[in-house]
Structures are given as C-alpha cells and as structure tokens.
Amino acid sequence: MIRLLTLLCVLLLLGACSARRQAQQLPAEAVLLDPARGKAAVDLVAGQSGTVDSFRALSRTTVRYKDEHTQLRHIFALEKPDRLRIEALPLNGFYTLSLFAASGGAAVLLDPSEKTAERGGLDPALIRKMLKVPLSGQDLLYLIAGRVPPDALTDHVYSVYMTESDGRLHFLSGDGRYYFSSFPQSGLPEYFEARDAFSGKLSFAVTYSNRMKVNEIDVPSVVGVNVAVEDFDLNLA
C-alpha cells in the first residue's frame, strides 16, 4: 500500500460560472450488468481507493470569482484518518496568507493578516471557508487523488451499467445520491458527482483527465470541480 503520493506544479483555477452545470445523465444505451459483474466492478473501484493513504501537493492557483482575479499558491498535506493541512501562500512570497490545520478531530483556521483564529471540528465547514469546496478532509484526499471516497462505496448499494459503444462503466447508487463513470480495466473514475441527501439536487461534480504516473500510482493531472450551490468551477491541472 502506498503511504505517500506527491504532486507538484498543480494549477488551480476558481471562477464563477455563467450558469449552473447540470448533473450528467445515465446514457440511454447503457445496459445493466448482472449482479456478479457489477460487484466485481465495484470491488475494483474500492481496491483503487485503497492505494492512497496520504499525499502532498503544491498548487499554483488562479482565483476568478465575479470580477475578482487573484493568483497564489496552496500547499496540501493530507494523511488518513484525520490529519490535514492547507496553507495559502502568495505567488512570489514565502509568508502565510491563511492556514487550515486539523488533527485528532480538532481543526483551526488561521488568518494572519486579520490576526484571527477560528476553531472547530474536522468537518466541511472550515474547509469550505478557505477553499469554497463543501468536502470533508477524507473526501478531499480521495477526490484530488482521483479515487472514489470509500464511504461512498461501503455505505451504498450500486447498480452498474455499461455502454457497449465504448465499454465505459456507469455506477449509480440505490438512493441516487452518487453517480460516477470509469473504464472497466482501471477502476478509476473519470467523472464523479454527489447529490444532496435531502433535496436530491446536485451538490458537486468532479471531472478527471490526462492521468499520469506519480510514485508508480496513476493520478489525474487535471481535476475539475464544479460546486453547484456556490456556482463556481475549481480546476487543478
């Protein structure tokens, strides 16, 4: 099992969308697989999720939101089960603009310029304040590394479909909360979306492309995140 995955020179784009993106639909030509083949496909995806326990990433970040445009860098350091550090730096400087750190279930968000510190639990609330992304530390680890979060697999029963024209597999949870697609040999998602558990509306969607090898692990070099509620895109390349 790989304990450390390092990603460097990541480009992060954050901007407002002109219109909210719609969730992808299950292709009309998709054929439901029999339970045995469906289970084998889910097991392959789960196996890939177990190949990454931690990673470090350095990102070059461009923030575009409404009429604002800012460039900076982010340092990500995540390790299962609950250690997480996200630090924002200026593009050409070495001082901290903001820092999120969590360990042992406790978290703090520091803003040196305002001389403020906000404490809380390891939940999406503080991460959302810093990155505008409604994800927990665990989900952030897996999704940036191009894996399906284990909780999305173990807590749900999936129907698995295949489009014969390209062999692509489509996974739909029984409650409709999660949908993702992948190619059968890889077990790695090319698209993943999550819906709100109560309203059923799209919460966020992640798109992957241009995968590469890092420390013998297959990871995406481009990650696009659309957060429907906030109506913006976040792209890592």
Side-chain angles (χ1 to χ4, degrees):
M1 182 174 293
I2 300 300
R3 294 293 178 182
L4 181 63
L5 174 64
T6 303
L7 305 178
L8 297 176
C9 299
V10 182
L11 174 62
L12 188 67
L13 301 177
L14 173 63
C17 302
S18 58
R20 293 186 179 181
R21 184 175 301 168
Q22 299 298 314
Q24 285 194 5
Q25 301 295 320
L26 186 69
E29 70 273 21
V31 177
L32 179 65
L33 298 183
D34 64 73
R37 293 180 65 190
K39 182 180 184 303
V42 172
D43 289 345
L44 180 60
V45 173
Q48 286 286 5
S49 295
T51 59
V52 177
D53 280 345
S54 62
F55 79 98
R56 294 177 297 176
L58 172 63
S59 72
R60 180 183 176 91
T61 306
T62 300
V63 180
R64 296 187 184 96
Y65 186 73
K66 296 183 179 179
D67 295 328
E68 299 180 1
H69 182 280
T70 306
Q71 288 190 323
L72 64 155
R73 295 172 295 160
H74 279 102
I75 297 174
F76 296 90
L78 300 92
E79 183 176 355
K80 296 194 321 186
D82 58 8
R83 297 185 65 183
L84 172 63
R85 181 184 178 93
I86 306 172
E87 186 172 1
L89 308 170
L91 189 61
N92 297 308
F94 296 96
Y95 56 91
T96 299
L97 297 173
S98 59
L99 172 66
F100 173 89
S103 181
V108 60
L109 177 61
L110 303 177
D111 187 336
S113 63
E114 299 293 334
K115 297 182 179 180
T116 60
E118 185 173 351
R119 300 183 184 277
L122 184 54
D123 56 53
L126 293 183
I127 297 177
R128 186 167 186 166
K129 280 193 173 183
M130 185 170 185
L131 294 179
K132 302 294 186 184
V133 177
L135 298 173
S136 68
Q138 283 290 314
D139 288 346
L140 190 64
L141 165 64
Y142 286 104
L143 290 173
I144 290 181
R147 268 67 180 168
V148 175
D151 288 349
L153 295 171
T154 58
D155 295 345
H156 297 268
V157 177
Y158 282 84
S159 296
V160 183
Y161 300 78
M162 182 178 71
T163 47
E164 295 183 354
S165 58
D166 56 12
R168 188 176 282 109
L169 296 179
H170 305 267
F171 301 75
L172 180 64
S173 65
D175 58 2
R177 186 176 180 185
Y178 296 108
Y179 164 76
F180 61 92
S181 60
S182 75
F183 286 102
Q185 295 83 4
S186 69
L188 299 170
E190 60 173 6
Y191 176 84
F192 178 91
E193 72 177 36
R195 293 176 175 271
D196 184 84
F198 299 100
S199 68
K201 294 181 179 179
L202 181 66
S203 178
F204 66 87
V206 187
T207 305
Y208 303 98
S209 59
N210 300 337
R211 288 186 175 272
M212 61 183 181
K213 292 286 186 180
V214 178
N215 293 350
E216 302 302 319
I217 295 295
D218 191 309
V219 295
S221 58
V222 177
V223 181
V225 182
N226 171 251
V227 181
V229 176
E230 295 290 343
D231 200 14
F232 70 77
D233 285 326
L234 180 152
N235 300 291
L236 296 88

